[in-house]
Amino acid sequence: MDSVDTLLKHALDALASKEGYAKRKQAYSQEMSAAIASAFSEAVRQRGMREALPAPPGSDGPSGSERRMAGGIGAKKVDVTWATEECGLIFSISVKTINWRDARSGNFQKNLTNRRGDLLFEAVTLHRRFPYAVVLGFLFLDVGALRDGTDLRNSTFHNAHQRLKLFTGRDDPGDREEQFERLYIVLVDADPQGSQATCYHVGDPAEPVSFEQAFHEAIVRVAERNPDFYEVDDGRITRL
């Protein structure tokens, strides 16, 4: 079983250099999201969620970065999903990215409000239809977002923690629909010569967590929410 951190690093290393996308910024962001989703779906399949999508290239299941799921307030494309006939949607991951500085302000703040809105809509529509689903969110920020603050404003990294911390920590299926079970901010430096990605739980910008730890906590919560079907054994979710 490969570590989640290793799978993600390999996916980021395989991306083309960001410098070649200066005039195709949306294309780069889409390719990064697809690469991250593929790495995450492989990680959850290795941990017992064999039906997780997107499927790997060449498999029988649909590949790609998103799967269209029925939601409580409309169908929604979701980056990574695990669903079964017995339980419906059990686990999902939403991936959002901000990779480019705003040309006018010079910081990464411009699209933060939009990315927050995208995340919250996804959490609401999934939880409304599947209140027991474990939903994780990952906001990937270019590493420059840590250092784009001024005397008048905090960095985008710290502002993101402030604006998102109300929407993480959904520990009970009856909690607010717009909350994620866990929401993370990732500082990413995607480089074909060697990528780096550092993950933080929203609300705690000082203490990084490993992707492996984040996924293990999610798997434990999946088993707790579905005690008639699953348990955790040696880091994998197994059928009872």
Side-chain angles (χ1 to χ4, degrees):
M1 182 170 64
D2 299 314
S3 76
V4 185
D5 300 73
T6 298
L7 289 168
L8 178 61
K9 185 178 187 307
H10 288 167
L12 294 173
D13 287 349
L15 289 171
S17 173
K18 182 178 174 181
E19 294 178 359
Y21 284 79
K23 295 183 179 180
R24 297 188 297 129
K25 297 179 180 180
Q26 184 176 1
Y28 180 83
S29 295
Q30 290 173 343
E31 290 181 18
M32 174 182 277
S33 294
I36 294 167
S38 294
F40 282 173
S41 64
E42 177 61 25
V44 298
R45 280 193 297 272
Q46 290 186 14
R47 285 150 182 79
M49 307 180 198
R50 293 188 301 273
E51 304 89 347
L53 297 176
S59 65
D60 293 335
S63 59
S65 63
E66 296 175 313
R67 177 191 196 182
R68 191 170 173 83
M69 291 291 300
I73 52 176
K76 183 73 179 69
K77 289 183 178 180
V78 186
D79 293 288
V80 179
T81 56
W82 181 44
T84 67
E85 292 183 2
E86 299 96 337
C87 302
L89 181 67
I90 301 176
F91 178 68
S92 75
I93 302 174
S94 176
V95 176
K96 307 299 178 191
T97 69
I98 298 178
N99 293 298
W100 305 93
R101 294 180 186 270
D102 176 53
R104 185 177 63 83
S105 67
N107 60 53
F108 293 86
Q109 185 84 20
K110 180 179 179 181
N111 290 319
L112 182 58
T113 299
N114 290 339
R115 296 293 83 77
R116 180 179 65 175
D118 294 339
L119 285 165
L120 300 187
F121 176 80
E122 196 161 309
V124 169
T125 194
L126 293 178
H127 280 141
R128 186 162 298 182
R129 191 175 185 95
F130 305 101
Y132 283 80
V134 174
V135 183
L136 302 187
F138 289 87
L139 174 60
F140 282 73
L141 296 176
D142 183 277
V143 67
L146 179 63
R147 303 182 296 270
D148 68 349
T150 68
D151 293 340
L152 299 178
R153 61 176 293 280
N154 290 326
S155 69
T156 301
F157 173 69
H158 286 89
N159 281 340
H161 280 276
Q162 180 67 25
R163 296 189 183 192
L164 291 171
K165 67 181 181 180
L166 185 62
F167 306 107
T168 189
R170 187 176 184 269
D171 294 324
D172 186 276
D175 287 346
R176 301 194 332 266
E177 295 171 341
E178 70 271 21
Q179 281 187 309
F180 286 78
E181 271 62 28
R182 289 293 183 268
L183 187 55
Y184 299 94
I185 295 173
V186 182
L187 290 173
V188 60
D189 181 10
D191 185 341
Q193 302 303 316
S195 300
Q196 295 184 348
T198 308
C199 183
Y200 299 83
H201 182 242
V202 163
D204 189 0
E207 190 65 32
V209 298
S210 70
F211 291 94
E212 190 66 36
Q213 177 184 343
F215 274 57
H216 179 73
E217 291 177 356
I219 289 169
V220 170
R221 185 164 282 106
V222 165
E224 292 173 348
R225 298 263 178 102
N226 301 273
D228 292 335
F229 292 96
Y230 302 105
E231 64 182 357
V232 178
D233 181 22
D234 193 26
R236 293 177 172 85
I237 194 159
T238 60
R239 180 92 182 192
L240 288 173

